[in-house]
Amino acid sequence: MPRFHQKMWLKSGMTRKLDKPRLAAPEWTTIFTGENPLKTVIVKQQDFRKDVQKIAGLNATRIELRARITYNYYTIPSELNLNLKIISETRSLLTLRWIRPDGSSLTLLREAVEAGFKSIVTYRDRIVSENVQTYLQKLGAPATLSVGEVLFSSESSLLKGTPTLIKSSDVKPSRPYELVVELVSDSMVSDVDAQLNLLGSVYGLCGTDNMRRDIFVGIVWGAPIALAFGLVAALVVTLVQAVFGAVSGFYGSKVDEIIQRVTDIYLVLPFLSLLITIQFIYKTTIWTLLIAVIALSLFGGVTKSVRSMALQVREEPYIEAAKSYGASKPRILFLYILPRLLPYTFANITVSVPAYVFLEASLSILGLGDPALPTWGKIVSEAFSGGAAYYGYWWWILIPSMFIVLVSTAFALLWYSLDKVLNPRLREE
Amino acid sequence: MTILLSLKDLTLYYRTRRGVVKAVDGVSFDIKEGSCLSLVGESGCGKSSMAYAIMRLLPRNTHTYRGVLLFDGRNLMDLSESDLRREFWLKRMAMVFQGAMNSLNPVLTIGEQLSEAFTIHAGLDKLEAQKRAAELLELVRLPRSLLNKYPHELSGGMKQRVVIAIALSLRPQLLILDEPTSALDVITQANIINLLKKLQEELNLTYIFITHDLSLSSELSDYIAVMYAGKVVELGDIRSILTDPKHPYTQKLLAATPRLLEDAKLEFIPGSPPDLASPPPGCRFHPRCPYVMDVCKNKVPNPVKVSSNHYVSCLLWERA
Ligand SMILES: Nc1ncnc2c1ncn2[C@@H]1O[C@H](COP(=O)(O)OP(=O)(O)OP(=O)(O)O)[C@@H](O)[C@H]1O
Ligand SMILES: [Mg+2]
């Protein structure tokens, strides 16, 4: 399961697809900014109009793909990326042409390409830049304009050096931008498919990080990990401590003395330092972390409180009666004493779940988390190292933190209700 | 009639911060099979302690525990706790605790608690044990529908019956009842006493019936042992104790028993029972005794036989 989580997280970004913007704010932020920036527009393979010509006499194929993009946003895309899948027996000639709504056009690329996958980051591609420069020279426009500006501005504004965006609706009747991909090859079995990604400055529910990963995916897939870690740690630690407490209170004398002294030692153990040491020595996965946390909390506050309750319960007449019926000590402990004490530990479980979620997050921030798994703490930690706080990529920090707080609040509320049920003084009749 | 249980010099002292509490101090008597012996005395005189001593259910702070406990010819003192668990507790002797209302596990159903003995000690399967549990409820005249109820859903009298049923589950010979009716109203009390009488006939039980209520004990018992400050001061068959009490304490106790429609003012015994951590020397009753003599202050009285079934520990009778 965790391996799967890891894959989902990695797949979310860093792939060849380049279909998510880097460091984009969540889409809903536009409600507050009141702007209408480009949300990601993807022209999928099946949305390209495909035109295949096989010229049998020449033993050649010409394929034309045409993408039509109705563009009515106020800003130019932050990135314009094209993914191509070329099938051919020989090298082929690839031509990319860009047609603006006003009918003006320019050639972005014309080169011989091998078969295979090809990603073109138009804004940064060397050949595209050269072609754009040539275009600008021919036009007589300043050479300082960026590729994005050139692609989305009218020629007249380029000439003046003040690029202004043309929207599809600026021309009557409204016309889209067009990208024409042309592949010519000396082969009858050639084929080409394309996907065009126009990336904006906002993305999805939670934005993206510096590796183009959708933070929402990290949060969704990190949730079971955070909850599993928190619940397992809280459950095991509380129950183990409760059992030790009950044993201590019930058996008394030497056993009690030993358990209590060990608990005293555990209570003063420098928990974090030991955990850091353990994480340095052993391979750091979330499971070693979990085991270490449990091992360092076998005895603790719950041992003390359950012991004091066990001291009371063991004197109750029904325990005495059970003894006279010949019930063995373990039987009395597990059937007569523990069931009485466990309800009180449930409350402790609910309050310690968020504590362990927090612990995992803070260890991640210290760099002691699982290096591969998408945990909430790790998203925050990466945000810090990515300079999110400095550059103001607030969504990268605040959203995962908010989820950590949300889980804590949820369990705190659960605890309030449990307390009402379990604490006789708060019980409503 | 054969003797089922014979105590000789049974002693149980507790260790406390105030010193050693002599709760049971050298008690000897015999109980015949099928009879009922009542143990009466003021609160704090060591009746419950006596029951614990007989059951060998000792609290943690036991200081001294000695004497001879012959049960059907075997000395319980020589047995290990696991022997007791295997052969005696619940199988041959059982106890109904003082405050039986609280003797039930609040987290298990009545059915579970009734069948526990059968699954654990007799090794029966769950279904068979449930059947036996239902039979037990019938034995104590309770409806079967209680099987799935929890203790808090039962009335005090019902709980008392359930506790008696549990104690009887493996058909012990000896049943110690520690004030089984003291928290109940008189009607329920009478019902329980009648039930106990019937059960004694049906199952040939031997009872040790602990109470502070002399009139109640007269309903059920064949013999009465009067305890004062950790010692049995008088023991005899019920007729001789009630009609011809010899020990001044017993006389005072009888005089303090309320009777209906009688104008006689209730007597009370001046003073209070001694602190068992530092009992008075000699006869322990001497500070409150109306017939106190000088010897009483340092000589410990021994049991004297006053008639065939009647013993009294008092220097008044020792001299005579
Ligand atoms: N576990 C114990 N540790 C120390 N002292 C005890 C303990 N149990 C009883 N005692 C003391 O021993 C004395 C006899 O107590 P016990 O419970 O046997 O009296 P009782 O006759 O059953 O009284 P009651 O009628 O109130 O039940 C009392 O003074 C009591 O304080
Ligand atoms: Mg008592």
Side-chain angles (χ1 to χ4, degrees):
Chain A
M1 185 79 162
R3 294 296 131 219
F4 183 60
H5 288 210
Q6 184 185 332
K7 233 173 82 195
M8 288 308 294
W9 181 224
L10 290 175
K11 229 171 85 183
S12 165
M14 295 204 303
T15 55
R16 264 196 298 249
K17 281 164 131 188
L18 304 173
D19 56 354
K20 293 186 194 70
R22 223 180 266 277
L23 294 167
E27 274 176 13
W28 46 262
T29 52
T30 56
I31 298 170
F32 304 106
T33 54
E35 289 165 2
N36 181 20
L38 171 65
K39 296 174 181 126
T40 301
V41 172
I42 307 247
V43 183
K44 296 202 197 96
Q45 182 185 325
Q46 60 269 29
D47 298 335
F48 278 82
R49 193 183 307 149
K50 195 166 184 176
D51 182 20
V52 183
Q53 282 175 286
K54 307 241 175 195
I55 309 159
L58 288 171
N59 195 26
T61 314
R62 179 180 171 277
I63 302 164
E64 189 190 272
L65 294 174
R66 195 176 278 260
R68 299 161 67 85
I69 310 132
T70 306
Y71 198 91
N72 282 322
Y73 305 97
Y74 292 85
T75 53
I76 61 169
S78 62
E79 286 179 46
L80 184 77
N81 302 329
L82 182 69
N83 299 323
L84 293 169
K85 189 174 90 183
I86 301 164
I87 301 168
S88 172
E89 290 165 322
T90 60
R91 279 159 69 92
S92 339
L93 182 68
L94 176 72
T95 313
L96 297 182
R97 238 157 28 90
W98 182 251
I99 307 167
R100 302 190 189 93
D102 62 3
S104 58
S105 70
L106 71 155
T107 303
L108 297 179
L109 190 104
R110 182 190 292 274
E111 65 166 339
V113 291
E114 302 283 345
F117 290 96
K118 191 169 171 63
S119 287
I120 301 168
V121 181
T122 48
Y123 288 10
R124 260 184 274 142
D125 192 88
R126 194 178 47 83
I127 300 171
V128 173
S129 301
E130 282 171 16
N131 285 331
V132 166
Q133 289 302 322
T134 333
Y135 166 79
L136 285 174
Q137 266 173 18
K138 252 198 252 167
L139 207 66
T144 49
L145 297 166
S146 74
V147 174
E149 285 167 338
V150 172
L151 293 186
F152 286 90
S153 307
S154 62
E155 288 187 335
S156 55
S157 69
L158 288 176
L159 264 173
K160 278 183 254 158
T162 52
T164 41
L165 185 115
I166 328 177
K167 288 186 275 183
S168 297
S169 57
D170 285 350
V171 291
K172 298 282 178 259
S174 161
R175 280 195 54 195
Y177 280 87
E178 279 183 68
L179 176 75
V180 184
V181 179
E182 190 194 49
L183 188 87
V184 181
S185 74
D186 299 335
S187 152
M188 292 300 281
V189 287
S190 293
D191 195 9
V192 63
D193 277 311
Q195 176 174 335
L196 179 66
N197 305 324
L198 287 90
L199 307 183
S201 51
V202 290
Y203 185 86
L205 268 177
C206 305
T208 59
D209 69 3
N210 59 355
M211 288 197 275
R212 301 171 186 275
R213 289 181 295 195
D214 184 353
I215 290 170
F216 180 70
V217 171
I219 290 199
V220 167
W221 290 100
I225 296 171
L227 289 178
F229 185 87
L231 274 173
V232 171
L235 218 73
V236 174
V237 166
T238 308
L239 291 185
V240 168
Q241 290 194 1
V243 169
F244 275 123
V247 168
S248 176
F250 175 58
Y251 282 92
S253 66
K254 277 218 185 77
V255 177
D256 187 29
E257 192 64 25
I258 291 169
I259 292 180
Q260 289 312 306
R261 293 298 79 78
V262 172
T263 308
D264 291 341
I265 294 170
Y266 263 79
L267 283 174
V268 296
L269 279 186
F271 185 76
L272 208 57
S273 333
L274 279 174
L275 214 54
I276 291 171
T277 316
I278 290 170
Q279 293 279 293
F280 267 121
I281 298 171
Y282 296 100
K283 198 167 137 256
T284 52
T285 71
I286 192 119
W287 305 121
T288 50
L289 184 67
L290 186 60
I291 291 168
V293 164
I294 290 171
L296 287 174
S297 327
L298 291 178
F299 302 83
V302 179
T303 319
K304 293 258 175 201
S305 59
V306 167
R307 170 186 178 264
S308 64
M309 284 188 275
L311 284 180
Q312 268 179 35
V313 172
R314 79 169 185 197
E315 299 303 340
E316 282 189 23
Y318 79 94
I319 304 291
E320 187 99 63
K323 250 188 254 168
S324 85
Y325 305 152
S328 63
K329 282 195 168 164
R331 189 177 176 82
I332 291 178
L333 180 63
F334 286 103
L335 217 68
Y336 287 71
I337 294 189
L338 265 181
R340 282 286 303 280
L341 306 180
L342 284 185
Y344 298 98
T345 64
F346 292 158
N348 191 77
I349 292 174
T350 52
V351 278
S352 51
V353 169
Y356 286 112
V357 172
F358 261 127
L359 177 71
E360 193 278 324
S362 29
L363 286 173
S364 290
I365 291 170
L366 289 178
L368 294 166
D370 193 308
L373 283 181
T375 67
W376 295 346
K378 219 167 107 259
I379 297 176
V380 177
S381 132
E382 282 168 354
F384 268 111
S385 51
Y390 180 75
Y391 293 110
Y393 309 136
W394 54 267
W395 60 90
W396 198 2
I397 302 176
L398 284 191
I399 292 177
S401 314
M402 192 193 75
F403 273 89
I404 296 172
V405 172
L406 207 69
V407 165
S408 312
T409 316
F411 277 94
L413 291 176
L414 187 66
W415 176 67
Y416 279 133
S417 330
L418 268 184
D419 199 31
K420 256 186 214 156
V421 175
L422 300 172
N423 190 338
R425 257 174 265 159
L426 298 177
R427 203 171 293 165
E428 292 156 17
E429 288 302 326
Chain B
M1 267 201 268
T2 52
I3 287 171
L4 180 69
L5 179 73
S6 167
L7 323 182
K8 288 198 183 70
D9 196 28
L10 189 64
T11 301
L12 176 60
Y13 295 167
Y14 300 125
R15 200 179 328 106
T16 67
R17 239 185 287 125
R18 289 178 304 123
V20 176
V21 172
K22 297 175 177 167
V24 180
D25 202 4
V27 172
S28 311
F29 60 76
D30 296 338
I31 301 171
K32 290 189 188 128
E33 194 166 359
S35 71
C36 171
L37 176 109
S38 274
L39 214 51
V40 298
E42 275 171 277
S43 185
C45 68
K47 303 183 297 291
S48 297
S49 304
M50 180 96 132
Y52 293 134
I54 295 172
M55 287 291 286
R56 264 196 70 183
L57 276 173
L58 303 179
R60 275 158 223 278
N61 58 339
T62 301
H63 176 270
T64 310
Y65 179 56
R66 64 160 186 264
V68 177
L69 264 175
L70 281 182
F71 189 100
D72 221 2
R74 284 180 71 185
N75 189 355
L76 296 186
M77 290 291 191
D78 299 338
L79 298 178
S80 69
E81 194 171 309
S82 60
D83 286 335
L84 281 171
R85 186 170 295 142
R86 210 172 43 243
E87 293 179 48
F88 283 90
W89 285 341
L90 213 56
K91 294 183 178 164
R92 306 196 62 180
M93 57 201 278
M95 176 163 172
V96 171
F97 287 82
Q98 186 167 5
M101 329 267 122
N102 307 320
S103 298
L104 293 170
N105 188 340
V107 296
L108 297 183
T109 61
I110 302 301
E112 282 168 325
Q113 302 192 49
L114 283 170
S115 50
E116 239 185 337
F118 298 118
T119 51
I120 303 301
H121 292 295
L124 299 184
D125 63 52
K126 279 230 158 74
L127 221 73
E128 184 66 15
Q130 279 286 325
K131 240 171 75 190
R132 296 286 199 90
E135 286 168 21
L136 274 180
L137 280 182
E138 253 162 51
L139 185 70
V140 295
R141 280 74 170 170
L142 283 176
R144 273 161 185 258
S145 57
L146 294 190
L147 282 178
N148 296 319
K149 294 235 160 80
Y150 284 92
H152 69 268
E153 299 174 275
L154 271 59
S155 74
M158 285 167 149
K159 277 193 242 183
Q160 189 64 60
R161 284 164 190 254
V162 170
V163 173
I164 292 172
I166 294 176
L168 292 177
S169 52
L170 298 182
R171 299 292 140 85
Q173 294 162 280
L174 176 70
L175 185 61
I176 302 177
L177 299 144
D178 191 356
E179 308 199 16
T181 61
S182 42
L184 304 175
D185 65 272
V186 280
I187 305 285
T188 318
Q189 235 176 24
N191 280 334
I192 299 263
I193 296 293
N194 284 334
L195 173 72
L196 287 172
K197 264 190 202 166
K198 289 206 187 95
L199 288 174
Q200 190 176 29
E201 281 165 29
E202 284 172 35
L203 307 173
N204 188 29
L205 287 165
T206 307
Y207 286 146
I208 295 180
F209 184 76
I210 296 175
T211 179
H212 47 240
D213 187 341
L214 264 171
S215 53
L216 199 67
S217 75
S218 64
E219 283 293 316
L220 193 64
S221 30
D222 307 304
Y223 301 94
I224 291 184
V226 181
M227 268 192 96
Y228 184 78
K231 286 181 180 289
V232 169
V233 292
E234 187 165 6
L235 183 135
D237 60 85
I238 180 148
R239 177 155 291 278
S240 19
I241 295 280
L242 292 185
T243 56
D244 184 22
K246 301 290 189 212
H247 197 283
Y249 177 65
T250 316
Q251 291 165 4
K252 289 279 178 192
L253 205 61
L254 280 170
T257 307
R259 284 177 195 88
L260 288 174
L261 298 177
E262 208 169 277
D263 266 349
K265 231 174 121 191
L266 276 187
E267 278 188 46
F268 68 100
I269 311 177
S272 55
D275 176 11
L276 290 180
S278 50
C283 172
R284 290 190 178 170
F285 188 58
H286 84 252
R288 298 167 83 186
C289 184
Y291 315 109
V292 61
M293 306 171 294
D294 278 344
V295 279
C296 298
K297 289 174 184 157
N298 35 45
K299 192 170 184 296
V300 178
N302 287 314
V304 179
K305 189 168 181 170
V306 286
S307 67
S308 64
N309 268 329
H310 195 168
Y311 299 83
V312 63
S313 303
C314 179
L315 290 169
L316 285 170
W317 296 92
E318 214 167 299
R319 281 199 318 170

